[in-house]
Amino acid sequence: MSAVLEARSLYRFFHAGDDETLALRGVSLDLEPGEIVTVTGPSGSGKSTLLACLAGLDEPDGGMVSVAGERLSRRPEEARARLRSRHIGLLYQQVNLVGHLSVADNVTMAQRLAGGRRALASDVLERCSIAHRAGARPAQLSGGELARAGLAVALANDPPVILADEPTGELDEVTAEHVLDLLAQFADAGAAVLVVTHSLRVAARADREIRLRDGQVQS
């Protein structure tokens, strides 16, 4: 089975005055349809930087990222945004919702940005168990509801790749398990899921684990 997301020899440097930080040092990975992969490591190991490069939110200083067979890195932001909206669902620990829009309108907006034919927003909300709050705005939602609404936005376009950054970090145990169950369901349906996490419980549910330390993959 061919990889739907590929990263080859990623390097990322940050400069502050005369100091240089090597956030990524030659990281390579493949993500295949139907698998759940966790990226773990101590704080400062490069996990969030890697996720940003994989999503096309940040450009690596060296190496290349491709998604669904198309090069994502070394392209203008407009082109990266177009590929991201079509092929990648992003789920953050922080809320990824527009505050003045309802839950349903947030999903619809994400679909319009991607273009093409997509599932009905109501169907997406139903799959994420948040359809009963479709008309509510983010400020009216509980923590668990916000997590499910954010997941609905990430999955609005039925992306082949889902990238999640600490998606259970601030959730209670029951809600966290529900979010993990939903991610597992989408993986079972063929999506490739990558989760950055500190949680041993989340890592235990993955098909494999990539461990980072000092910007490098540990063998």
Side-chain angles (χ1 to χ4, degrees):
M1 187 178 295
S2 60
V4 68
L5 181 71
E6 299 176 80
R8 292 290 176 268
S9 300
L10 297 184
Y11 287 84
R12 187 70 174 99
F13 312 122
F14 295 101
H15 297 272
D18 294 330
D19 296 326
E20 180 180 75
T21 300
L22 282 69
L24 296 176
R25 308 184 189 200
V27 175
S28 296
L29 63 85
D30 291 334
L31 193 60
E32 296 187 353
E35 70 171 345
I36 299 177
V37 176
T38 54
V39 177
T40 62
S43 297
S45 60
K47 301 187 300 297
S48 294
T49 301
L50 174 61
L51 191 77
C53 289
L54 295 177
L57 295 171
D58 191 18
E59 279 277 36
D61 293 296
M64 185 191 72
V65 176
S66 63
V67 60
E70 297 188 67
R71 179 168 51 85
L72 182 62
S73 52
R74 300 291 187 275
R75 303 187 73 165
E77 168 55 27
E78 182 179 351
R80 298 202 310 271
R82 183 171 60 252
L83 288 172
R84 185 166 55 244
S85 65
R86 291 178 180 173
H87 301 303
I88 299 174
L90 292 172
L91 182 62
Y92 293 101
Q93 182 175 336
Q94 298 83 11
V95 178
N96 60 334
L97 304 171
V98 178
H100 67 274
L101 296 180
S102 68
V103 173
D105 287 342
N106 268 279
V107 172
T108 299
M109 181 182 67
Q111 292 177 327
R112 286 176 178 170
L113 289 173
R117 298 184 62 183
R118 304 293 174 182
L120 292 175
S122 58
D123 291 342
V124 177
L125 296 174
E126 189 67 40
R127 293 173 74 184
C128 294
S129 304
I130 194 65
H132 64 293
R133 299 291 277 155
R137 292 176 177 167
Q140 299 171 310
L141 302 178
S142 68
E145 290 171 341
L146 279 170
R148 293 195 296 274
L151 184 59
V153 170
L155 302 174
N157 299 306
D158 199 19
V161 176
I162 300 169
L163 303 178
D165 190 5
E166 296 284 1
T168 64
E170 295 185 353
L171 302 178
D172 61 79
E173 186 173 342
V174 173
T175 302
E177 285 298 321
H178 183 60
V179 169
L180 293 176
D181 287 343
L182 287 171
L183 290 174
Q185 288 174 22
F186 279 91
D188 289 341
V193 180
L194 183 142
V195 182
V196 168
T197 185
H198 285 96
S199 170
L200 295 177
R201 183 181 66 212
V202 175
R205 296 192 57 167
D207 297 303
R208 58 188 174 95
E209 179 182 359
I210 297 171
R211 297 183 182 181
L212 291 184
R213 179 175 291 276
D214 298 327
Q216 295 178 303
V217 176
Q218 290 187 295
S219 59

mmCIF file of all heavy atoms in Angstrom, residues 40 197-205 209 211:
data_model
loop_
_atom_site.group_PDB
_atom_site.id
_atom_site.type_symbol
_atom_site.label_atom_id
_atom_site.label_comp_id
_atom_site.label_asym_id
_atom_site.label_seq_id
_atom_site.Cartn_x
_atom_site.Cartn_y
_atom_site.Cartn_z
ATOM 1 N N THR A 40 5.725 10.893 19.578
ATOM 2 C CA THR A 40 5.949 11.173 20.995
ATOM 3 C C THR A 40 7.359 11.700 21.205
ATOM 4 O O THR A 40 8.206 11.642 20.315
ATOM 5 C CB THR A 40 5.742 9.904 21.842
ATOM 6 O OG1 THR A 40 6.706 8.911 21.451
ATOM 7 C CG2 THR A 40 4.331 9.331 21.647
ATOM 8 N N THR A 197 1.409 13.473 20.715
ATOM 9 C CA THR A 197 0.872 13.306 22.060
ATOM 10 C C THR A 197 1.974 13.061 23.086
ATOM 11 O O THR A 197 3.065 12.590 22.762
ATOM 12 C CB THR A 197 -0.127 12.126 22.094
ATOM 13 O OG1 THR A 197 -0.737 12.039 23.377
ATOM 14 C CG2 THR A 197 0.572 10.803 21.772
ATOM 15 N N HIS A 198 1.649 13.399 24.338
ATOM 16 C CA HIS A 198 2.466 13.011 25.483
ATOM 17 C C HIS A 198 1.839 11.826 26.216
ATOM 18 O O HIS A 198 2.428 11.274 27.138
ATOM 19 C CB HIS A 198 2.600 14.173 26.487
ATOM 20 C CG HIS A 198 3.540 15.252 26.051
ATOM 21 N ND1 HIS A 198 3.123 16.397 25.414
ATOM 22 C CD2 HIS A 198 4.893 15.354 26.162
ATOM 23 C CE1 HIS A 198 4.173 17.165 25.169
ATOM 24 N NE2 HIS A 198 5.257 16.562 25.600
ATOM 25 N N SER A 199 0.620 11.465 25.814
ATOM 26 C CA SER A 199 -0.178 10.495 26.561
ATOM 27 C C SER A 199 0.199 9.058 26.223
ATOM 28 O O SER A 199 0.154 8.646 25.057
ATOM 29 C CB SER A 199 -1.670 10.719 26.263
ATOM 30 O OG SER A 199 -2.453 9.665 26.787
ATOM 31 N N LEU A 200 0.530 8.285 27.234
ATOM 32 C CA LEU A 200 0.810 6.867 27.025
ATOM 33 C C LEU A 200 -0.447 6.124 26.595
ATOM 34 O O LEU A 200 -0.383 5.161 25.824
ATOM 35 C CB LEU A 200 1.365 6.253 28.319
ATOM 36 C CG LEU A 200 2.726 6.785 28.789
ATOM 37 C CD1 LEU A 200 3.111 6.148 30.112
ATOM 38 C CD2 LEU A 200 3.802 6.524 27.743
ATOM 39 N N ARG A 201 -1.602 6.577 27.079
ATOM 40 C CA ARG A 201 -2.868 5.939 26.717
ATOM 41 C C ARG A 201 -3.153 6.106 25.238
ATOM 42 O O ARG A 201 -3.588 5.174 24.563
ATOM 43 C CB ARG A 201 -4.022 6.534 27.536
ATOM 44 C CG ARG A 201 -5.376 5.888 27.274
ATOM 45 C CD ARG A 201 -6.444 6.544 28.106
ATOM 46 N NE ARG A 201 -6.649 7.924 27.691
ATOM 47 C CZ ARG A 201 -7.006 8.900 28.509
ATOM 48 N NH1 ARG A 201 -7.155 8.668 29.793
ATOM 49 N NH2 ARG A 201 -7.200 10.114 28.050
ATOM 50 N N VAL A 202 -2.882 7.302 24.710
ATOM 51 C CA VAL A 202 -3.084 7.540 23.278
ATOM 52 C C VAL A 202 -2.091 6.724 22.465
ATOM 53 O O VAL A 202 -2.451 6.077 21.473
ATOM 54 C CB VAL A 202 -2.944 9.040 22.959
ATOM 55 C CG1 VAL A 202 -3.039 9.271 21.456
ATOM 56 C CG2 VAL A 202 -4.020 9.845 23.681
ATOM 57 N N ALA A 203 -0.826 6.721 22.878
ATOM 58 C CA ALA A 203 0.204 5.974 22.157
ATOM 59 C C ALA A 203 -0.106 4.483 22.123
ATOM 60 O O ALA A 203 0.184 3.801 21.133
ATOM 61 C CB ALA A 203 1.570 6.218 22.794
ATOM 62 N N ALA A 204 -0.735 3.977 23.190
ATOM 63 C CA ALA A 204 -1.049 2.550 23.253
ATOM 64 C C ALA A 204 -2.093 2.141 22.225
ATOM 65 O O ALA A 204 -2.173 0.965 21.858
ATOM 66 C CB ALA A 204 -1.528 2.198 24.661
ATOM 67 N N ARG A 205 -2.875 3.098 21.735
ATOM 68 C CA ARG A 205 -3.922 2.780 20.761
ATOM 69 C C ARG A 205 -3.431 2.892 19.320
ATOM 70 O O ARG A 205 -4.186 2.626 18.387
ATOM 71 C CB ARG A 205 -5.123 3.695 20.980
ATOM 72 C CG ARG A 205 -5.793 3.487 22.331
ATOM 73 C CD ARG A 205 -7.130 4.164 22.423
ATOM 74 N NE ARG A 205 -8.061 3.734 21.384
ATOM 75 C CZ ARG A 205 -9.370 4.018 21.420
ATOM 76 N NH1 ARG A 205 -9.874 4.689 22.444
ATOM 77 N NH2 ARG A 205 -10.159 3.613 20.451
ATOM 78 N N GLU A 209 4.525 3.851 16.713
ATOM 79 C CA GLU A 209 4.943 5.074 17.402
ATOM 80 C C GLU A 209 6.259 5.580 16.823
ATOM 81 O O GLU A 209 7.180 4.797 16.586
ATOM 82 C CB GLU A 209 5.100 4.794 18.897
ATOM 83 C CG GLU A 209 5.548 5.978 19.731
ATOM 84 C CD GLU A 209 5.716 5.611 21.195
ATOM 85 O OE1 GLU A 209 5.465 4.437 21.556
ATOM 86 O OE2 GLU A 209 6.124 6.491 21.986
ATOM 87 N N ARG A 211 9.217 8.111 17.811
ATOM 88 C CA ARG A 211 9.735 8.843 18.963
ATOM 89 C C ARG A 211 10.786 9.851 18.503
ATOM 90 O O ARG A 211 11.737 9.500 17.803
ATOM 91 C CB ARG A 211 10.357 7.881 19.980
ATOM 92 C CG ARG A 211 9.355 6.896 20.570
ATOM 93 C CD ARG A 211 10.010 6.017 21.613
ATOM 94 N NE ARG A 211 9.072 5.044 22.150
ATOM 95 C CZ ARG A 211 9.373 4.153 23.093
ATOM 96 N NH1 ARG A 211 10.615 4.134 23.599
ATOM 97 N NH2 ARG A 211 8.479 3.309 23.527
#
